[in-house]
Amino acid sequence: MGGNGTSPCASCKLLRRRCAKDCIFAPYFPSDDPHKFAIVHKVFGASNVSKMLQELPVQQRADAVSSLVYEANARMRDPVYGCVGAISFLQNQVSQLQMQLAVAQAEILCIQMQQEPSNMANPVQNNFEAVDDKSFLFQNNISQQQYLNFPSSSEHHVIQDSLKRESFFGHDMVS
């Protein structure tokens, strides 16, 4: 009868039409999942979905349907922004977490520098017994790692900006 041989696909059921053997919707919208096509139809329209699928190679159609279903669900939840709203929310969350990480790294660096004030004040005097450059570098490996793990210059601006904002509100993150 339909694309799968037993019953019409979800598209043809919803649109109340006869499902042909070459129905473009049948492979992607089976009759046992009518909600999938209903939401895509509500957001994009059957005609537009049909045109999109016909313009794609057969091997890309399943991915396109999956994307259409995802976007349609996102549009139902957020009619104005859809997927872009979700992406924007996640990007903001990543930004906030990166800033928190930069602040934490700055705090760790400050704590490490406070714990080793004598080594940082005059490393040549404290390591005078070093025989050659290699042993000096080996002995000061911890302090070198502190400098190597410090965030890049672009992240450093984020740390400074966040600290300025924090001190503006009356409390300081790093003391």
Side-chain angles (χ1 to χ4, degrees):
M1 176 175 202
N4 62 5
T6 58
S7 65
C9 67
S11 164
C12 293
K13 266 186 185 178
L14 184 74
L15 300 173
R16 295 183 182 173
R17 65 181 186 191
R18 186 177 161 270
C19 193
K21 286 185 180 184
D22 62 341
C23 177
I24 195 160
F25 297 118
Y28 313 107
F29 299 104
S31 60
D32 61 346
D33 194 5
H35 179 70
K36 186 176 170 182
F37 180 76
I39 196 164
V40 170
H41 171 62
K42 186 173 185 175
V43 173
F44 298 105
S47 177
N48 290 330
V49 174
S50 174
K51 288 176 191 174
M52 283 188 253
L53 291 177
Q54 287 174 350
E55 290 178 5
L56 291 172
V58 175
Q59 65 270 16
Q60 292 179 351
R61 290 179 182 174
D63 290 335
V65 167
S66 176
S67 294
L68 288 170
V69 170
Y70 184 82
E71 175 65 27
N73 281 317
R75 285 280 170 193
M76 294 304 288
R77 283 190 306 272
D78 186 355
V80 175
Y81 295 108
C83 288
V84 175
I87 291 168
S88 178
F89 172 77
L90 292 172
Q91 285 177 335
N92 285 337
Q93 193 174 13
V94 166
S95 239
Q96 289 175 352
L97 291 172
Q98 285 175 334
M99 188 171 69
Q100 288 175 1
L101 177 63
V103 169
Q105 287 174 337
E107 289 176 356
I108 289 171
L109 183 63
C110 287
I111 291 170
Q112 287 175 342
M113 291 176 76
Q114 287 173 356
Q115 288 177 351
E116 298 180 17
S118 61
N119 287 343
M120 300 305 276
N122 195 351
V124 175
Q125 183 179 357
N126 291 337
N127 293 307
F128 186 69
E129 61 276 354
V131 177
D132 60 4
D133 290 339
K134 290 180 185 176
S135 62
F136 177 75
L137 291 174
F138 180 73
Q139 289 174 359
N140 288 312
N141 192 22
I142 294 172
S143 60
Q144 288 174 357
Q145 287 175 351
Q146 291 171 353
Y147 292 116
L148 293 175
N149 289 334
F150 193 74
S152 68
S153 61
S154 63
E155 291 174 351
H156 184 63
H157 294 299
V158 171
I159 294 170
Q160 288 177 342
D161 290 345
S162 66
L163 292 177
K164 286 178 187 174
R165 280 189 219 123
E166 293 298 328
S167 60
F168 177 76
F169 291 105
H171 62 285
D172 210 359
M173 285 290 287
V174 180
S175 52

